[in-house]
Structures are given as structure tokens and as C-alpha cells.
Amino acid sequence: MACGVALVLAIVYGAGVVVVRRKGERWSGWLVAAFYLLGIGSFLVVNLGFLGVYSHELRWAFSTRTALLLFVSPALLALGRPVTLARRTLGPRGVGIVDRFLASRPIRFLGNAVVEPFVTVIIFAIFLTPFAGVVRLSPVGQAAVTILIPAIGLLLVLPLIEYSSHRTAFFVTVEFLLAFAALIVDAIPGIVVRLSGTVLDGLGAVAGAHPPWYPNPLRDQQLSGDLLWFIAEIADVPVLIILIVRWSRVDRKEAKSYDDLSDEEMDALTREHL
């Protein structure tokens, strides 16, 4: 499943790069490397490495895999600027579809940095219920994590990176301040999982023979909570950095728009404001 998703992403992105360069336009090799090596590479490592192999047996491997697929892989894929590539590859009709999609109410809502911690809480709250065990032990659940969690992560991060021109400096400032307050919110599930004295997914130890280093169910859950807590807090740092960069760009754009006004236009704008 993970290999199939990675192959589709690689083919689509590569086709876009070929089209852009055939037009005689430049597409940075750094963006290509970021998408393939960092984005797709991290996606494959998370799914095919230790975390993917032991995701069925170990709670902490499953929860860590979910968190990395939500936060890390989408952010690294977004560094390759796939939306910008799509705009430069598609014709006017395709660009219109992309712009309408990014400008739609749900995407603008998800692109608000304040929303991200609450989406994280909703997803991580699954680990507080027996449903976490059902998903972990189900092949369908594991496949859903492989596909749906990175897709949600992309919907959260792409508007932040690729669609910042329609924000005002005041809005981004408020968003930045609220994002600081939200640092506490998305850590709540990890803290609850860590401090709980009972196994929340209702499952016991792994059936059958297993290596001696496997933790007992409660310790397994505590490790899961530790890692969820840590990753959720660390993942907020890039969001804050993106907001700082976005605020700087929007502020420069607004300042330039005021500088371009004539004295008469500025006086009229001031009178309208007053």
C-alpha cells in the first residue's frame, strides 16, 4: 500500500517537473530533492521501517507512525511546492480548479493554523478509546492510516505554505497568538495516555511468542503517550515559523500597497478609516 502511494506521488510530481522544463521554465532541483528524498523518503521510512513493521504489535510504534504521517511527511512533501508545480503545469482551466479548491471554505478553514491543534486532538483522541486497538489490529485500519492520515496532514499544511497571499497582517498576527495558546491543546491526548493507569484500548499483551524487549501493555501505552506528547509539541514549532514567515510576507505586501498610493488616495483612505 505505502509503495503504491509513493509510486503515484513520484510519477505525478515527476510528470509535472518534465512539463514545466519542456516549457523552458526553471524548476529548482532543491524542490525536487525535497519532495522525493525528504517527503516520499520519510513516508516510506515511516511505513516500511521499524514503525511500520511493529505497528500491529506495539502501541507506541502505531501511535508514533500515525503522528509522523500526520505531521512530518506532509510537511516535507509540501516543501516540494506541489501546488505551485500544478499551477505551472496545468492550463488555465486546471489552474482555475486548483485555485477554487484552495479558496473553498473547508480548505481555508483547515489552512487556519489555529485549527491544526484541534484536528490533532480529534485524531489523537482515538488513542483514548478501544477503537485504537481495533484500528491497530485491522489491515483495513492500517491501510486507512497509511492513506488518510497523510492526506489530512497535507490539507492542513499546504494552505499554510502555498496560499498565504489572501491573509491580512492583522489576521496572521491574531492567528500567531492563538497558535501559541494552542500549544497546550494538542498535547492533551498524549498527556492523558501517559498518565492513565489502565490500558485504554482494552487489549492485553501481544498473543504468541514475542521478543523479550516488548514492554508490557501499560508500559507500551505510557511510551505511546510520551511520544505523542513530544511529537505534538515539536510539530507546532514549524507551524509557528511558517506563521512568522507568512506575517513578514503579508506585511511587506501591505506596506508596498500603501507606498504605491498617491497622497490624495492616502488622504481618502484615512478619511474613510476615520
Side-chain angles (χ1 to χ4, degrees), residues 45-59:
V45 168
V46 169
N47 282 294
L48 303 181
F50 179 92
L51 297 177
V53 172
Y54 290 96
S55 185
H56 295 273
E57 290 84 9
L58 297 174
R59 292 168 181 81

Side-chain angles (χ1 to χ4, degrees), residues 22-224:
R22 281 182 176 176
K23 291 180 178 179
E25 301 176 7
R26 183 177 178 275
W27 188 256
S28 171
W30 152 247
L31 297 179
V32 176
F35 189 86
Y36 282 102
L37 299 181
L38 300 180
I40 295 179
S42 67
F43 177 79
L44 290 175
V45 168
V46 169
N47 282 294
L48 303 181
F50 179 92
L51 297 177
V53 172
Y54 290 96
S55 185
H56 295 273
E57 290 84 9
L58 297 174
R59 292 168 181 81
W60 71 264
F62 175 64
S63 59
T64 303
R65 172 172 167 254
T66 303
L68 293 179
L69 289 178
L70 178 64
F71 293 127
V72 177
S73 294
L76 295 177
L77 285 170
L79 290 178
R81 294 299 181 95
V83 175
T84 301
L85 180 63
R87 282 199 179 103
R88 294 176 61 178
T89 302
L90 303 173
R93 184 177 179 181
V95 172
I97 293 174
V98 172
D99 288 340
R100 285 194 297 272
F101 174 74
L102 290 176
S104 63
R105 189 180 298 274
I107 299 303
R108 285 189 289 114
F109 176 76
L110 290 174
N112 186 333
V114 181
V115 172
E116 179 267 335
F118 296 98
V119 175
T120 301
V121 168
I122 292 173
I123 293 175
F124 285 179
I126 294 174
F127 298 111
L128 306 177
T129 70
F131 187 62
V134 175
V135 174
R136 179 165 61 90
L137 298 181
S138 167
V140 175
Q142 291 282 353
V145 169
T146 301
I147 297 175
L148 294 181
I149 296 300
I152 294 172
L154 280 172
L155 291 178
L156 291 172
V157 73
L158 280 177
L160 285 174
I161 294 178
E162 305 248 21
Y163 198 65
S164 61
S165 60
H166 293 264
R167 304 293 196 191
T168 64
F170 175 76
F171 183 91
V172 177
T173 302
V174 173
E175 194 177 33
F176 182 76
L177 294 175
L178 292 176
F180 260 114
L183 282 169
I184 301 174
V185 175
D186 55 7
I188 293 175
I191 295 173
V192 175
V193 171
R194 176 63 179 85
L195 299 180
S196 177
T198 59
V199 179
L200 298 173
D201 64 10
L203 300 176
V206 177
H210 55 79
W213 55 265
Y214 270 35
N216 63 59
L218 183 58
R219 181 54 182 159
D220 191 6
Q221 177 176 279
Q222 291 171 344
L223 290 172
S224 173

